[in-house]
Amino acid sequence: MLDALKKKISNHLIDVFHDGQVEVTIYPSYGFLEDGDWLIPLRGWVHQDRRLPDHLINEVAQFKLGCSDSELNNFSSRFDAFSDDSRSDQLVTIQFDTDHERYSFQESDLNGLIEMTLRLPAAKAQALAAQQNAVNSWLSFSIVSDGHTGTGKVNLIEPTGLSVISDIDDTIKVTEVPGPRDNVLKNTFCRDFIAISEMTERYRAIGNATFHYVSGGPWQLCHPLSEFLAGAGFPTGTFHLNYFPKNFLSRDTRSLLIDSICGSLGRTYDHKVEQITRLIERLPGREFVLVGDSGELDVEIYRRVRRLVGSRVREIWIRDVVNDEVMNGFRLQGVDRIIKADKIVCPTEEHYENLAVIIQREHQRPYSKNNLPPCGS
């Protein structure tokens, strides 16, 4: 898909132009208490819309992905962030709504990335929450530096309580990552996102908990995924997606992005272990429920996290999308809740082989695919 877009852009450079103000996307984050202050790690991206002509977007979407006419709007909105230009050397300043104090990031790097850890006194945070009528301790802020536009939010998480760490693809949203790559890309860029309704109900039933969505997918999909979660009725939560360089015209970047979307097992494993353990370490008084699926390595990731932190992991839930409860029961030993999927997704040969190598290493048992049910059953 992106190879075709590169070629077409090179043939239509005159049609490509920048549009509008420089945008700042600050990813939904959290704050944790330390020595009486709230520490808030913030990460964002400074970028400007690089407008591609509609006829070019439509041609690529239909020619490479087979998007239907009715799906072109989906493709355009989801691909939008991938085509934006990163802006370096930008000094970004934020201000909490109802407050006058300003906080500045260091200048954005070559990929437009900005980061800082903001320290907020507990008394001030309490006052801001009251002034903003903050729901579930979510504080909102705005980008106030000249020439920039954007907003953000942060969840101040109490030291004790329950937190849910959730995967996204094939755990709460139909993506079918173990299956054919073309189908995964269509589900990601073309088709309406489909919520797994049973998971919506399960999450609502949990009650008073904070939610953290940890996925191996790219940060560029944060906005459409946020809209999906809200529209489907999933709880608002922080996002912990995967970082990728922004030059999508680079072959290495294109390969990384497509592998990420379609299931890059090793990269996703490392990313999730790092993000989850960091969350748990920063919230030492809380208990955690880890929710994922069997189509990739959530089982193995969560088992490793549990070995590292012990009883801090209250439960592990796995949505069994590849029928492992029947075919490879050893893999799901130690899982507290196995959630049967309505539709079994049959892995491609490549995905199965990559999965089998890691599972055999982790469990010291061969991973069987014999007698899998028909695809789609």
Side-chain angles (χ1 to χ4, degrees), residues 18 22-23 45-48 85-90 108-113:
H18 292 93
V22 175
E23 300 177 54
W45 174 41
V46 187
H47 54 108
Q48 189 170 22
D85 254 347
S86 299
R87 296 297 304 270
S88 60
D89 302 322
Q90 300 284 304
S108 57
D109 68 13
L110 292 176
N111 288 304
L113 292 180

Side-chain angles (χ1 to χ4, degrees), residues 64-119:
K64 289 301 292 181
L65 289 184
C67 298
S68 67
D69 289 343
S70 62
E71 294 169 339
L72 291 179
N73 285 337
N74 285 343
F75 178 85
S76 181
S77 64
R78 294 173 197 171
F79 188 74
D80 184 58
F82 291 97
S83 63
D84 278 7
D85 254 347
S86 299
R87 296 297 304 270
S88 60
D89 302 322
Q90 300 284 304
L91 188 60
V92 175
T93 302
I94 67 171
Q95 182 176 307
F96 284 99
D97 300 345
T98 72
D99 190 35
H100 65 277
E101 189 168 356
R102 296 187 171 196
Y103 306 87
S104 294
F105 291 84
Q106 291 185 338
E107 288 186 346
S108 57
D109 68 13
L110 292 176
N111 288 304
L113 292 180
I114 52 174
E115 290 184 291
M116 75 166 163
T117 299
L118 189 155
R119 182 177 288 271

